[in-house]
Amino acid sequence: MALKGKSILLGVSGGIAAYKSAELVRLFTKAGATVQVVMTANARQFITPLTLQVLSGQPVCTNLFDLEFESQIGHIQVARAAHLAVLAPATANLIAKLAAGIADDYLTTVLLATTAPVLVCPAMNTKMYENLATQKNLETLRTYGHHIVEPSEGTLACKEEGTGRLAELPEILEVAGRILTPATLKGKQVLVSSGPTWERFDPVRFISNPSSGKMGYAIAQVAARRSAKVHLVSGPVSIPAPRGTTLHRVTSAMEMHDLITRLAPQMDVIVMAAAVSDYRPAQMLPQKAKKVGSDLTITLQNNPDILAQLGRSKPQAKQQILVGFAAETENLIENATSKLKAKNLDFIVANNLTQSGSGFGCDTNQVRIIDRSGDSTELPCLLKEEVAERIWDRIERLFQ
C-alpha cells in the first residue's frame, strides 16, 4: 500500500472545511500512515486539537512556544520526520503565506523547514479562490514544486455555488499515495481490461456474470500510481475510474475485442482482468421477448477469444508483457497452466471462486501466480489493491 509506514504531516488551517480533517486523519491511519497534525490558531476555532489527537494517536502541534515540546526544537523534528506534508484545508491566507515564505506560526514555520513534498488542498469561497492574488500564489507554489489538488464545485458554506469546496477525501488520499510512490512505470503504455460484458438477446435483457470490476480497477490504479500511462477498458460497472487513467467504456465482448485489438500494438503491458463472456446470443430480438407460456430458446455462438488473439499477435519490434486471469472452480493449477500455455502469456493470475474472500464482488482476493517456467506463487488473502501491487512487482521484474 502506498501510504503504509509513511509519516504524514497534516496541516489544518482555519476554514469551515477543517471539520473534514478528522475523517482525513482516519483515512490516512487506516491506510497505514502515521499522522502528525499541525493546526493554526484559526483552525482551532472550527475543530479541537483533542479530536485530532485522539484520531491520530499523536500530540497535536499548535504552539510554537510550547516549553515542553519545543525544548527539543520540536518544530524542526516534525519537519524532518515528514515524508509528505498535506495542507487540508489550505485557506487563501495559508496559501499566501506559503508563497511568500512567511513563518509566523507553527504550521508555516514547519513548512519552511521541511524538505518533504507538499500537497496543497485549497478550500475557500469561490471569489477568494478565483481572485488574481490567490491564483498567482498557487502558480508560485507550483513553481516551488508543490502539488495542488484543485477544489471541487458545489454548494459552499456561504450558500453560494461554485468552485472552492475541499476536494473529495479519497482523491486527496490517492494523490498523496501517488506522490510517495516511485515512478517505476514512467514511460510505459499499459492496457487493463476489467468488469463483465453484457451480451444482449433483446433490448432489455442480456447474459452476463457478477464481475464488479474491482480487481481490474485496482490494477489500473496501481499502474497509474507508478506513473504508467494507463488505458482502462471497462465493461459496465458502478465504480469510478481511478485518477490518472484513460477510461474506455464498452458493453459487449465484441466491443471490447474491437477496442483492445486497436490499442494493443502500442502497449508495453496488457493485463486482461475482465470477465469476458465466452458466448453471445446468435440473434438479438428487435423487441422485448414476451412471456407467452412456452419456453424460450436462445442459441449462443462463440465470442472471439481476445486473450488468445493477443498472445498470437504480440508485436515483434518490442517486448510486450501479457498477463491473463483464470477464475476456476476446480483443478486450479492444471486449468490455469493450460490457459497460460495455450494463450502465450508471460504469467497468469489464478483464483478459486469457491474460496472464501476470493472472486466476484469481494474487496479481497486470494490468488496464485503461475509463470511460463511453471513456478507457482500462492498469495494469502489480501485486499485487491495489495494483490495489484504484487502483480505489478512481478511485471517490473520481467522488464528488468
Side-chain angles (χ1 to χ4, degrees):
M1 304 287 278
L3 296 167
K4 190 173 183 180
K6 301 298 184 182
S7 179
I8 304 297
L9 189 162
L10 178 61
V12 184
S13 57
I16 185 61
Y19 79 91
K20 297 182 180 181
S21 60
E23 177 64 8
L24 190 56
V25 170
R26 190 190 69 81
L27 291 174
F28 274 126
T29 55
K30 183 180 178 182
T34 299
V35 182
Q36 175 62 68
V37 179
V38 181
M39 300 178 71
T40 66
N42 289 343
R44 297 173 66 180
Q45 301 298 315
F46 294 92
I47 187 170
T48 67
L50 179 60
T51 298
L52 300 178
Q53 180 172 309
V54 170
L55 291 170
S56 67
Q58 304 288 333
V60 174
C61 300
T62 60
N63 182 7
L64 191 58
F65 301 102
D66 183 291
L67 294 179
E68 181 178 353
F69 195 66
E70 285 302 309
S71 65
Q72 302 297 321
I73 317 182
H75 64 280
I76 300 299
Q77 292 181 6
V78 169
R80 288 173 177 167
H83 292 107
L84 173 69
V86 179
L87 309 182
T91 60
N93 185 55
L94 177 60
I95 290 168
K97 287 183 178 182
L98 191 57
I102 293 172
D104 64 351
D105 62 8
Y106 208 114
L107 179 55
T108 52
T109 301
V110 168
L111 292 173
L112 207 58
T114 190
T115 57
V118 177
L119 175 60
V120 182
C121 309
M124 65 196 73
N125 170 269
T126 301
K127 297 297 187 292
M128 295 173 69
Y129 176 69
E130 293 175 347
N131 188 283
L132 183 60
T134 301
Q135 291 301 310
K136 184 177 180 180
N137 289 333
L138 286 170
E139 189 56 39
T140 297
L141 296 186
R142 291 187 181 94
T143 66
Y144 293 166
H146 295 343
H147 306 268
I148 314 292
V149 178
E150 300 294 344
S152 60
E153 295 184 14
T155 304
L156 308 178
C158 59
K159 312 305 180 187
E160 291 183 8
E161 295 283 336
T163 302
R165 290 167 56 94
L166 183 68
E168 295 299 320
L169 302 189
E171 181 181 7
I172 295 173
L173 206 73
E174 176 59 28
V175 175
R178 191 160 301 185
I179 293 169
L180 292 172
T181 300
T184 50
L185 291 173
K186 188 174 180 62
K188 299 296 184 184
Q189 294 264 9
V190 168
L191 187 152
V192 179
S193 72
S194 185
T197 61
W198 291 357
E199 310 303 325
R200 296 189 181 278
F201 61 87
D202 73 16
V204 298
R205 300 186 183 97
F206 54 83
I207 299 168
S208 188
N209 58 67
S211 173
S212 65
K214 290 180 179 180
M215 189 68 251
Y217 275 56
I219 292 168
Q221 181 179 44
V222 171
R225 196 179 289 159
R226 298 186 183 193
S227 299
K229 183 174 182 182
V230 181
H231 292 268
L232 175 58
V233 179
S234 175
V237 299
S238 59
I239 51 180
R243 181 184 175 94
T245 63
T246 300
L247 177 64
H248 306 268
R249 295 191 182 277
V250 297
T251 300
S252 68
M254 288 302 298
E255 290 175 5
M256 185 172 284
H257 166 270
D258 293 346
L259 181 58
I260 290 177
T261 300
R262 178 168 60 83
L263 293 174
Q266 291 78 44
M267 296 299 127
D268 297 294
V269 184
I270 300 175
V271 182
M272 289 291 292
V276 184
S277 299
D278 292 326
Y279 304 97
R280 69 181 186 276
Q283 179 182 9
M284 179 175 166
L285 302 176
Q287 303 296 332
K288 177 184 174 182
K290 298 298 184 181
K291 186 175 181 180
V292 294
S294 59
D295 293 339
L296 175 66
T297 300
I298 301 173
T299 301
L300 301 178
Q301 64 184 28
N302 286 320
N303 272 322
D305 191 327
I306 304 173
L307 190 56
Q309 182 175 325
L310 292 172
R312 290 192 299 269
S313 60
K314 277 188 178 182
Q316 300 299 314
K318 63 188 297 185
Q319 178 191 14
Q320 184 183 82
I321 294 172
L322 181 60
V323 178
F325 272 68
E328 303 290 346
T329 57
E330 60 179 355
N331 302 325
L332 180 69
I333 296 177
E334 294 85 348
N335 289 338
T337 301
S338 176
K339 184 175 182 178
L340 165 78
K341 294 177 179 178
K343 302 188 180 185
N344 191 27
L345 309 181
D346 290 278
F347 66 83
I348 194 164
V349 183
N351 64 314
N352 188 333
L353 297 179
T354 65
Q355 284 184 313
S356 177
S358 177
F360 296 132
C362 297
D363 291 327
T364 58
N365 210 350
Q366 185 168 352
V367 306
R368 183 181 289 272
I369 298 176
I370 305 170
D371 66 19
R372 288 182 177 183
S373 70
D375 179 65
S376 176
T377 303
E378 184 176 13
L379 302 183
C381 188
L382 300 169
L383 290 172
K384 286 184 173 176
E385 184 179 329
E386 293 176 293
V387 175
E389 294 277 3
R390 303 291 186 91
I391 290 170
W392 282 110
D393 289 345
R394 190 70 166 254
I395 291 171
E396 287 183 20
R397 287 200 295 273
L398 289 178
F399 277 122
Q400 293 166 2

